[in-house]
């Protein structure tokens, strides 16, 4: 990786705590600026495309035809030299291209062969997502040094293996590759696919209309090709007596990383951030510290962006930042609310409110559903999250957005409900009228 | 330049003792210490040559060990940014709390960031000359850019110039005035433009023996609202009585002092006014012509000159208040200047520490205790 992107960390917070104050919040903005041109590419990249070929994919047949077309466009989007394979998934996973269990280099010939192999796919059998991921993991095994990305497309529930089997595979695959998941149609389970994408640091989205798949696959592959650094981690050091309450990605989506910690040194843990191209993401960190005397200043968190070194090699530190605390008896200082912390706190709550509201609606608990979705309308309005506001309006009739007064709609399209659920974690950077 | 074998501070060829920790560096110096002449003689020759500009006082911080301990938890892992790698507490910056003492306890000072400000914008400097001490305290004006640079430049330039000018034969008033003007030049030179002018107050005290009478004298000079006081008494029969002879030697260049002098407001009214701390003179590129005010006094008995920033006197404006603080701690400034400086800084911190606090204490000994209290001799018009 000769021309690695330049990384920077910016911290937004109010460091002032009142006397006896314990809890400090900060928004950590990580930005990478790409290498000047696309000329110099990372040492290696590997891509596996996983297409659901269960029987339901041919009801209607447009689903399979659209999936094949989308996968073919994705293959065309691979640049020369990228190692790739295409897998079909049903009760078990099978190699579509190449035939042997390995990745091949992309060039004009292999791309053509892969597209031909895709065109011959038939839909038959059930859905066992864990087995598909296990095969992908096996393929990535020889390519752990570079960028490793998979696309998983499914249209159904994971019916032909147990939840425990899927969990075991996800545990095994965590950190081994990044996987973006797409659900086509409306017969798949949002929570299930979100679990997969979240474990594998990827995105999840609904493609209700199969016609939308081609553009989506192309965009995903292009984004994967734009990644220049694999396996970036956020290393957070905290004082010995402090407790790291949570680490959440809050931009571009809400993703709780707290449970993904691996210890990386004295008082420090690493949170995996996946692969990076030229992009920016924001993280919300909350640390609980032991109160100090007025006037004292504490480093409550020392945040470093690292690429952990391979066995024996030194970790590479890309950028650092400090989360600070200073105790003060100046109330004006300690009660000031940092606008970005407030903004993202609201959006994290927004995702929770939507998911809880939709679940309550499914469970027939209309009071809770009305209250939670009403709260969501208010939060989306405050945050200026227009996409979520418009998705919410397909599920509820808004009486007053400012107070969050809503009525549940009687007839809601399944696709609208699933879109809202899937996209509930998408955040926007600033409020309307700001910055 | 080589390093002191004791503390690692840089030392120069020909120096008998380390300036940072006082460790003897030469065979002669070691012999002097062993012979009981102790540091004073050796250091006096080195640290206190008459009028040597830039003479550095002994810094009373602990000798630097290779791994300093955290002031909060004691762990010996301080990272390059100044935070403890164990408990995370930021270690005091060098200027957060400074204590200095001239060898032989002939003068001392302490300066502290206080409890409200993120940094210490005061600076204090001490130097010895052939017949006494020069002390300068400067308080960076918070509304100006880089006030910490201004106060440091002014104090260091002022004290060096004061000791040098007096040492080379200038009259004390003339040396005091010239030193303040030189300090003003140094501060003005920091400005990138008149609208971007670092600025600070200035107060100096020079102690010496009056050439005509041989009795001790004090000349103070100031611009702004940093002050000098005489803390009289100590060592006499009725110490507690004598201390009441203390008095303020400077008159603030401030709105409040002006209103009181004009008879427009009473002292209490002026101090309660929001403008009370607005200063009417300062050093800086944006200042009017700098006209240092200079006064000379003859102490009538032993005592000490106190030079301080408003971070101290805000909490104890009357000389009697300051004397009471020291008496409460059983501290005689004439005998223990460092102890007195520390006591006063601690008092201001405990009272709230809303500003940076700087205090210099210069004892004035007297051979025969004269009956007169402190009497102003002259006011020098520059």
């Amino acid at each position: 990786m000769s021309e690695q992107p330049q990384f920077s960390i910016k911290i937004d917070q109010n460091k002032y705590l009142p006397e006896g104050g314990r809890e400090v919040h900060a928004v950590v903005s990580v930005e990478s600026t790409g290498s000047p041109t696309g000329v110099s590419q990372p040492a290696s990249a590997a891509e596996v495309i996983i297409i659901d070929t269960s029987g339901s994919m041919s009801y209607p047949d447009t689903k399979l035809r659209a999936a094949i077309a989308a996968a073919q466009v994705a293959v065309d989007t691979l640049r020369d030299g990228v190692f790739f394979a295409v897998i079909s998934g049903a009760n078990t996973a099978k190699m579509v291209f190449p035939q042997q269990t390995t990745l091949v280099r992309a060039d004009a010939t292999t791309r053509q062969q892969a597209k031909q192999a895709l065109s011959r796919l038939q839909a038959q059998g059930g859905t066992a997502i864990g087995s598909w991921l296990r095969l992908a993991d096996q393929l990535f095994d020889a390519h752990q040094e570079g960028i490793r990305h998979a696309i998983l497309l499914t249209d159904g529930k994971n019916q032909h293996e147990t939840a425990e089997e899927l969990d075991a595979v996800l545990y095994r695959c965590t950190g081994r590759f990044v996987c973006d998941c797409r659900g086509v149609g409306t017969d798949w389970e949002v929570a299930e696919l979100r679990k997969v994408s979240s474990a594998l640091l990827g995105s999840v989205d609904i493609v209700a209309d199969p016609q939308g798949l081609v553009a989506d696959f192309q965009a995903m592959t292009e984004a994967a090709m734009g990644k220049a650094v694999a396996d970036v981690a956020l290393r957070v050091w905290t004082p010995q007596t402090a407790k790291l309450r949570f680490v959440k990605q809050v931009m571009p989506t809400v993703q709780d990383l707290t449970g993904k910690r691996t210890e990386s040194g004295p008082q420090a843990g690493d949170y995996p951030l996946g692969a990076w191209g030229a992009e920016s993401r924001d993280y919300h960190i909350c640390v609980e510290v032991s109160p100090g005397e007025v006037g004292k200043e504490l480093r409550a968190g020392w945040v470093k962006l690292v690429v952990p070194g391979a066995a024996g090699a030194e970790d590479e530190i890309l950028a650092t930042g400090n989360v600070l605390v200073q105790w003060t008896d100046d109330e004006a200082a300690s009660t000031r609310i940092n606008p970005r912390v407030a903004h993202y706190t609201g959006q994290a709550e927004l995702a929770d409110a939507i998911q809880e509201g939709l679940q309550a609606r499914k469970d027939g608990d209309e009071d809770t559903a009305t209250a939670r979705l009403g709260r969501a309308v208010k939060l989306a309005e405050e945050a200026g999250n227009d996409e979520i506001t418009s998705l919410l309006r397909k599920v509820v009739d808004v009486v007053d957005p400012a107070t969050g007064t809503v009525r549940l709609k009687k007839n809601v399209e399944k696709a609208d409900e699933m879109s809202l659920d899937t996209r509930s974690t998408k955040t926007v950077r600033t409020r309307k009228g700001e910055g | 330049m080589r390093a002191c074998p004791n503390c690692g501070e840089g030392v120069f060829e020909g120096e008998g003792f380390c300036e940072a920790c006082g460790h003897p560096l030469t065979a002669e110096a070691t012999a002097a210490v062993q012979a009981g002449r102790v540091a004073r003689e050796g250091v006096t020759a080195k640290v206190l040559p008459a009028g040597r500009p830039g003479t550095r006082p002994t810094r009373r911080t602990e000798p630097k060990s290779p791994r300093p301990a955290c002031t909060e938890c004691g762990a010996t892992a301080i990272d390059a940014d100044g935070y403890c790698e164990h408990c995370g507490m930021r270690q005091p910056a060098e200027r957060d709390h400074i204590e200095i003492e001239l060898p032989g306890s002939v003068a001392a000072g302490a300066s502290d960031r206080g409890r409200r400000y993120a940094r210490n914008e005061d600076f204090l400097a001490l130097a010895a000359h052939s017949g006494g001490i020069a002390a300068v305290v400067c308080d960076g004006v918070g509304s100006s850019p880089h006030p910490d640079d201004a106060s440091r430049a002014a104090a260091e330039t002022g004290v060096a110039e004061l000791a040098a000018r007096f040492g080379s034969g200038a009259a004390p008033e003339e040396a005091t005035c010239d030193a303040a003007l030189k300090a003003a030049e140094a501060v003005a030179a920091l400005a990138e433009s008149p609208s971007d002018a670092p600025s600070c107050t200035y107060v100096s005290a020079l102690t010496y023996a009056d050439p005509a009478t041989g009795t001790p004298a004090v000349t103070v000079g100031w611009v702004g609202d940093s002050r000098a006081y005489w803390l009289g008494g100590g060592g006499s029969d009725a110490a507690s009585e004598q201390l009441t002879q203390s008095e303020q030697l400077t008159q603030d260049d401030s709105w409040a002092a002006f209103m009181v002098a004009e008879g427009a407001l009473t002292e209490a009214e002026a101090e309660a006014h929001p403008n009370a701390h607005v200063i009417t003179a300062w050093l800086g590129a944006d200042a009017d012509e700098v006209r240092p005010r200079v006064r000379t006094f003859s102490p009538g008995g032993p005592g000490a000159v106190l030079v301080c920033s408003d971070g101290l006197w805000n909490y104890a404006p009357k000389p009697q208040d300051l004397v009471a603080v020291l008496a409460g701690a059983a501290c005689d400034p004439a005998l223990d200047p460092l102890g007195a400086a520390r006591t006063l800084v601690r008092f201001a911190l405990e009272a709230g520490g809303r500003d940076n606090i700087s205090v210099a204490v210069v004892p004035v000994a007297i051979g025969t205790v004269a009956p007169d209290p402190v009497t102003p001799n002259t006011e020098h018009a520059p």
Side-chain angles (χ1 to χ4, degrees), chain A residues 237-241 267 292 294-299 302 322 324 326-330, chain B residues 71-72 79 81 83-91 113-118 352 354:
Chain A
W237 172 98
T238 45
Q240 210 193 23
T241 55
Q267 300 165 232
V294 166
K296 293 241 170 148
E297 186 185 279
L298 182 79
R299 170 191 267 156
W302 193 3
N322 283 319
L324 301 176
Q326 188 168 355
W327 288 276
T328 179
D329 55 7
D330 181 354
Chain B
T71 55
E72 186 77 10
D79 74 11
D81 300 336
Y83 294 96
C84 174
E85 290 183 7
H86 195 67
C87 72
M89 204 60 86
R90 191 179 82 108
Q91 301 305 297
R113 179 167 62 104
R115 298 179 63 172
R116 271 295 174 85
Y117 286 101
R354 297 181 74 88

Side-chain angles (χ1 to χ4, degrees), chain B residues 142-155:
Chain B
S143 55
S144 71
H146 310 296
D148 50 333
D149 293 342
S151 62
R152 180 175 200 142

Side-chain angles (χ1 to χ4, degrees), chain A residues 20-36:
Chain A
R22 291 174 165 273
E23 199 175 274
V24 62
H25 293 261
V27 170
V28 179
S29 303
V30 179
E31 187 171 8
S32 67
T33 49
S35 49

Side-chain angles (χ1 to χ4, degrees), chain B residues 66-338:
Chain B
R67 292 181 69 79
C70 172
T71 55
E72 186 77 10
C73 73
T76 52
I78 308 301
D79 74 11
D81 300 336
Y83 294 96
C84 174
E85 290 183 7
H86 195 67
C87 72
M89 204 60 86
R90 191 179 82 108
Q91 301 305 297
E94 197 183 358
R95 276 178 77 165
D96 280 2
H97 184 89
I98 293 174
E99 292 186 0
I100 54 180
E101 184 179 41
L102 293 182
S105 294
V106 294
S111 181
D112 196 282
R113 179 167 62 104
R115 298 179 63 172
R116 271 295 174 85
Y117 286 101
R119 62 181 173 187
N120 189 354
E121 295 168 357
D122 284 2
F123 205 83
L124 72 87
L126 300 174
H129 57 84
S130 55
I133 301 297
V136 175
V137 165
C138 296
D139 176 355
V141 174
S143 55
S144 71
H146 310 296
D148 50 333
D149 293 342
S151 62
R152 180 175 200 142
E156 286 184 339
T157 304
V159 85
E161 184 71 8
L162 184 54
R165 294 279 290 133
F166 184 75
S168 60
E173 293 82 7
E174 190 189 344
T176 295
C177 184
D178 289 352
L181 294 174
K182 191 94 174 195
E185 276 174 36
V187 175
L190 297 174
E192 286 168 9
S193 71
S195 60
D196 177 49
S199 51
C200 65
T201 70
Y202 180 96
V203 58
S204 73
L206 183 74
T207 62
Y208 53 94
D210 186 300
T213 64
T215 57
V218 179
T219 297
V220 296
W222 72 96
V223 178
D225 69 351
S226 295
R227 290 180 177 179
Y229 292 86
W230 172 254
L231 305 179
S236 83
D237 296 337
S240 59
E241 291 299 314
Q242 295 266 333
L243 285 167
T244 59
Q245 299 170 0
S246 305
E247 68 174 85
Q248 185 181 330
L249 307 182
T250 54
Q251 292 161 348
D252 302 343
D253 292 316
S254 69
W255 180 90
F258 176 80
M259 295 309 274
V260 173
E262 292 285 295
L265 295 175
T266 67
E267 217 163 296
E269 284 166 346
E271 271 173 29
H273 195 277
N275 278 359
H277 287 268
V278 172
I279 55 174
T280 53
W282 60 90
L283 309 188
D286 60 343
D288 294 335
E289 185 193 352
V290 175
R291 295 165 62 93
R293 295 164 71 185
V294 180
R295 296 177 79 189
T296 294
F297 301 86
S298 297
V305 180
L306 170 70
V307 187
C308 65
S309 62
D310 62 348
L312 171 65
W313 69 251
N314 277 337
Y315 297 111
K318 302 256 177 295
Q320 296 83 347
D321 302 336
L322 295 161
V323 168
V325 169
L326 291 169
C331 182
D332 182 346
L335 298 176
D336 180 8
L338 182 61

Side-chain angles (χ1 to χ4, degrees), chain A residues 129-145:
Chain A
I129 294 173
S131 70
W132 314 348
L133 294 170
R134 204 178 311 116
L135 178 58
D137 182 49
Q138 205 180 327
L139 291 167
F140 283 122
D141 205 35
H143 299 269
Q144 287 296 312
E145 292 302 301

